């Protein structure tokens, strides 16, 4: 039995302590926004925040997380997709297939919490998630917009058309 605090709610979950946190979140708790991608912590589709730190859950055992650690999934990031990074993602049409996007958004939100005005280098260093569609340029622009920096290039054109 594991006791986890997910999106502000403490829950008792009956799983083997070696079960990856990803599967406890998806299968036991029913929060399916966190995705399975690679199973080896490379792609980042399974990213959530644990005490504010972007964490890949496919390799993190449930038994390594204490009840005092606060887990936030994409479902708990904001109500009605109102987080600045979620708004920027929508404004720039960042997703194509969308599979990686919840992990990308969680990684970007953690970056902005730590560095409210990130540089391109900061974004490139923090955003190590893999996007199969290659929307990295729009991801970078969305992070800048969420940080309050003006967009540039084609992403700026796209954002202005949506306004």
């Amino acid at each position: 039995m594991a006791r986890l605090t997910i999106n502000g709610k403490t829950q008792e979950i009956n799983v083997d302590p070696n079960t990856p946190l990803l599967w406890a979140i998806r299968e036991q708790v029913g929060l399916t926004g966190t995705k399975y991608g690679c199973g080896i912590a490379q792609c980042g589709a399974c990213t959530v925040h644990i005490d504010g730190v972007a964490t890949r859950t496919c390799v993190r055992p449930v038994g390594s997380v204490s009840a005092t650690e606060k887990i936030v999934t994409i479902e708990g990031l904001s109500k009605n997709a109102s987080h600045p990074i979620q708004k920027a993602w929508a404004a720039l049409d960042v997703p194509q297939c969308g599979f990686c996007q919840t992990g990308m958004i969680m990684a970007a939100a953690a970056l902005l919490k730590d560095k409210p005005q990130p540089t391109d280098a900061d974004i490139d260093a923090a955003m190590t998630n893999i996007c199969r569609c290659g929307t990295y340029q729009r991801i970078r622009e969305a992070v800048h917009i969420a940080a309050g920096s003006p967009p540039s290039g084609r992403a700026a054109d796209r954002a202005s058309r949506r306004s």
Side-chain angles (χ1 to χ4, degrees):
M1 186 74 72
R3 183 180 200 115
L4 300 174
T5 303
I6 303 174
N7 298 334
K9 182 179 176 186
T10 301
Q11 304 185 34
E12 297 283 339
I13 302 170
N14 190 14
V15 294
D16 182 292
N18 293 317
T19 300
L21 180 59
L22 168 67
W23 298 118
I25 291 169
R26 288 184 59 82
E27 303 295 327
Q28 309 303 312
V29 182
L31 299 173
T32 58
T34 305
K35 305 292 185 204
Y36 174 81
C38 66
I40 58 172
Q42 294 298 304
C43 74
C46 66
T47 303
V48 302
H49 296 172
I50 299 180
D51 286 341
V53 177
T55 304
R56 296 185 179 179
T57 59
C58 67
V59 295
R60 178 84 185 254
V62 168
S64 72
V65 182
S66 73
T68 59
E69 291 178 290
K70 294 175 178 65
I71 300 166
V72 177
T73 67
I74 190 73
E75 294 90 346
L77 185 61
S78 68
K79 294 182 182 186
N80 305 319
S82 60
H83 189 282
I85 199 71
Q86 290 169 308
K87 288 180 177 181
W89 238 248
L92 292 180
D93 289 328
V94 171
Q96 283 186 19
C97 81
F99 191 81
C100 69
Q101 297 308 301
T102 57
M104 289 281 191
I105 288 169
M106 296 304 287
L111 166 63
L112 290 176
K113 182 178 170 265
D114 289 340
K115 292 189 177 191
Q117 295 294 315
T119 64
D120 283 348
D122 294 332
I123 295 167
D124 293 347
M127 300 298 295
T128 60
N129 300 39
I130 296 171
C131 175
R132 295 173 185 172
C133 300
T135 64
Y136 299 109
Q137 209 50 36
R138 287 189 301 217
I139 289 166
R140 184 189 288 164
E141 291 295 328
V143 173
H144 283 301
I145 288 172
S149 302
S152 61
R154 289 187 306 174
D157 296 338
R158 179 170 293 153
S160 66
R161 284 193 304 267
R162 296 190 122 241
S163 301

